[in-house]
Amino acid sequence: MALRIPKGTQMLKDGYKTLQGLEEAVLRNIAAVHDLSEITRTSFGPNGRNKIIINHLEKLFVTNDAATIIRELEVVHPAAKLLVMASQQQEAEMGDASNLVSIIAGELLQKAEHLIRMGLHPSDIVQGYEVALTKALEIIEELSVEEAKNVQSKEDIAKAVRSSIASKQFGNEDLLTDLVSEAALAVMPKDPSNFNVDNVRIVKIMGSSLYESRVIKGMVFGRSPEGVVTNAKKAKVAIFTCPLDIAQTETKGTVLIHNANEMLDFTKGEEKHMESMLKSIADAGVKVVVTGNGVGELALHYLNRFGILVVKVLSKFDLRRLCRVTGATALARVGTPMAEELGYCEVVESVEIGGDRVTVFRQEEEATKTATIVIRGATQNYLDDVERALDDGINVIKAIVKDPRLVPGAGASEMELLKRLLIVGEKTPGLNQHSIKKFAEAFEVIPRTLAENAGMDATEVVSKMYASHHADDSGVMGVDVESENNGLLDAHGAGIFDVLSAKSQAIRLATETAITVLRVDQLIMSKPAGGPVVPKKQQQHWDED
């Protein structure tokens, strides 16, 4: 690098930091993105390792879900943040394959580093990658081997969902796939393209084992009703976000009571006011009251007397969802609701699951149908991880109702993509051919990672895959993670599929991230705002200096 002579004029404020040139900016950015992708790479596939992450709030996560890992890591490097954004975008749009984005982006930049060290300019690499991306998206369309055409059938849904769940909960995929398929079919509208992910809820109840999990039609809340009334049919529902209790005055007052009669009259007035308020709710035909806050003892007494079922739902998100399902409006004050503010529910009942009683709201109408997957397990962390796996499975259904095409999984489609892109690279004249070939080679990382995480000899597996994919054009041979002797399997025959739309979106996002990082040649960082950082107290003995 040429020696930069400091200029006499100062353009930027003191504290600005500038990194520029190949060594300082481009290669450092590549290293940062690659380091981040290496963190999630070991969590890829059915044998992916778990990570223990403790975030800034000291919450513990034990997971191999890349989206959760990336979200909870506080990444500060600007180039690595680009990868975080791409991964989060994939999670928001597709709900699955966020690890694929991170792995491919990291590998594409690693390959770009070889080309830069060979002497290619980043602009030439970017140009080659853009050509290769267009070609890759065309090729992947041809690799479709199966379609989940009928989303009203359990078999077709299970076909697509199974591999997505197996990558998170290997060994329990059949059980969890059945749960997801059953829940999805319970809420599937006549026009499947209107399938709403929010209509499938997940409730975690500690205790028992995963095999006790089941699907319940309707919305389930993990607590029993507050009063003595435990079920209602064809009920009008009133939803309040405020506590059902006597309103406290804002100012403190002192009441002078001279005798016992005055004392009785004082409490009587309060009781009458509460009774008239709740009677007006009962007169409106309300059979079910849902509150987002506490219920006072006096209010509960009158609600029981009027035969009204009371449910406490502390989550605002659940309260909003319940409003949508019942068609009610959440009221911020206790009072008589108007007819249009009331909701309607076919059945509200209390059911026992294991040793816990839960409340179920069930609707028969198609527009407001909901299903809840109740999962059981020994620890909260385990339940959270199962929930993430089920969440990915539900998102896969959302993807297949829009585009039912499936490609072979187990690294087979990536290997076929590699083979066909290398042929394109051979036929391309000029400098672009180097970038296209390196782009193709980057896809080798997927089967290699699957083999490494399964404890196999990655080099032997990848060389076997090269041989089988060059032997014919079927492109279905993938890594057999259960093999004892580094073997392969027919992914199509074994029923291992990936959703085509999720895969092509992941390749697009990964390539765009890699291209964005390669286009950067300078980092200019201002001095962080804020006062002096308070030094952390060191844990030492009080008597030691």
Side-chain angles (χ1 to χ4, degrees), residues 71-129:
R71 188 177 64 245
E72 295 306 328
L73 293 176
E74 288 186 41
V75 177
V76 291
H77 194 284
K81 267 188 184 169
L82 292 172
L83 182 57
V84 171
M85 287 177 205
S87 191
Q88 284 173 343
Q89 183 63 22
Q90 175 75 3
E91 180 68 13
E93 277 187 40
M94 291 294 167
D96 195 20
S98 48
N99 206 346
L100 197 65
V101 175
S102 137
I103 293 171
I104 294 175
E107 194 64 18
L108 285 172
L109 287 169
Q110 191 77 345
K111 298 290 179 194
E113 187 180 346
H114 292 307
L115 294 172
I116 289 170
R117 293 198 187 281
M118 271 166 53
L120 248 73
H121 193 272
S123 302
D124 296 327
I125 301 169
V126 165
Q127 206 176 352
Y129 276 8

Side-chain angles (χ1 to χ4, degrees), residues 19 27 97 149 154 184 259 292 333 388 442 444 528-529 545:
L19 301 169
L27 297 180
K149 283 185 187 136
K154 202 168 181 178
N259 54 38
R333 56 174 184 77
R388 283 187 276 268
E444 187 193 295
D545 288 338

Side-chain angles (χ1 to χ4, degrees), residues 137-268:
L137 295 177
E138 284 171 19
I139 293 168
I140 202 162
E141 301 276 321
E142 300 162 14
L143 299 182
S144 171
V145 290
E146 190 77 44
E147 284 194 14
K149 283 185 187 136
N150 181 13
V151 284
Q152 302 284 6
S153 97
K154 202 168 181 178
E155 289 71 33
D156 273 24
I157 289 180
K159 206 188 290 177
V161 170
R162 194 170 168 275
S163 4
S164 170
I165 291 178
S167 67
K168 302 277 185 301
Q169 287 290 325
F170 191 44
N172 297 323
E173 66 269 23
D174 293 331
L175 167 73
L176 296 177
T177 302
D178 283 348
L179 290 174
V180 170
S181 311
E182 192 185 329
L185 288 174
V187 300
M188 188 68 75
K190 286 189 178 72
D191 176 8
S193 60
N194 294 333
F195 175 76
N196 186 358
V197 189
D198 275 348
N199 287 348
V200 180
R201 291 187 72 243
I202 297 166
V203 166
K204 300 168 284 192
I205 297 177
M206 292 260 286
S208 192
S209 74
L210 189 64
Y211 296 97
E212 293 295 313
S213 305
R214 58 193 170 112
V215 174
I216 294 178
K217 286 178 183 175
M219 267 186 102
V220 175
F221 296 105
R223 57 191 303 152
S224 57
E226 301 300 309
V228 290
V229 185
T230 55
N231 55 10
K233 286 193 171 76
K234 295 194 162 74
K236 283 185 181 176
V237 183
I239 298 178
F240 298 99
T241 53
C242 57
L244 293 176
D245 207 349
I246 298 151
Q248 299 289 327
T249 53
E250 284 185 21
T251 54
K252 286 185 180 177
T254 309
V255 180
L256 260 126
I257 292 171
H258 299 94
N259 54 38
N261 288 335
E262 281 183 13
M263 176 76 175
L264 284 169
D265 291 341
F266 179 70
T267 54
K268 221 175 260 176

Side-chain angles (χ1 to χ4, degrees), residues 40 140 375 402 446 488-489 517:
T40 56
I140 202 162
I375 47 176
K402 291 176 185 164
I446 301 296
L488 307 182
L489 58 75
V517 171

